[in-house]
Amino acid sequence: PVRRLKPLRHAYEKEIVLYAHFCGLRYFSTECVYAPHAYRGHPRALLKDLEATRPAAVAALGHSGRRLAVGAAAAAAALGAC
């Protein structure tokens, strides 16, 4: 299997949007139609609150996440269409 590349993994979304704006790149963001009913909004809100309390917390979570091994069962889970 080919590993997934994430060159901007450590960049915040607002930094990417600012970079696109100042370089004159077209940028648009569309939200999935299922997003209002998705569970991912709860962890996202928790992360924003955590970042407001301790700005380096989200980056620290990202760095520690690389150390975790993903089990074969989780990797083989089928994803639904968005």
Side-chain angles (χ1 to χ4, degrees), residues 11-22 27 48 51 55:
Y12 289 100
E13 182 180 6
K14 58 188 166 189
E15 293 172 346
I16 296 170
V17 172
L18 283 172
Y19 176 79
H21 174 74
F22 287 117
Y27 174 83
K48 286 186 179 190
E51 186 178 29

Side-chain angles (χ1 to χ4, degrees), residues 4-81:
R4 187 173 177 186
L5 292 176
K6 297 181 184 179
L8 300 175
R9 173 182 21 200
H10 299 295
Y12 289 100
E13 182 180 6
K14 58 188 166 189
E15 293 172 346
I16 296 170
V17 172
L18 283 172
Y19 176 79
H21 174 74
F22 287 117
C23 289
L25 303 172
R26 291 184 349 176
Y27 174 83
F28 65 95
S29 175
T30 57
E31 187 174 33
C32 175
V33 295
Y34 301 109
H37 305 292
Y39 178 74
R40 69 184 299 159
H42 300 289
R44 182 175 288 164
L46 175 66
L47 288 174
K48 286 186 179 190
D49 292 342
L50 185 61
E51 186 178 29
T53 305
R54 183 173 171 238
V58 175
L61 282 171
H63 290 298
S64 65
R66 287 185 300 177
R67 297 183 193 139
L68 299 174
V70 177
L79 297 177

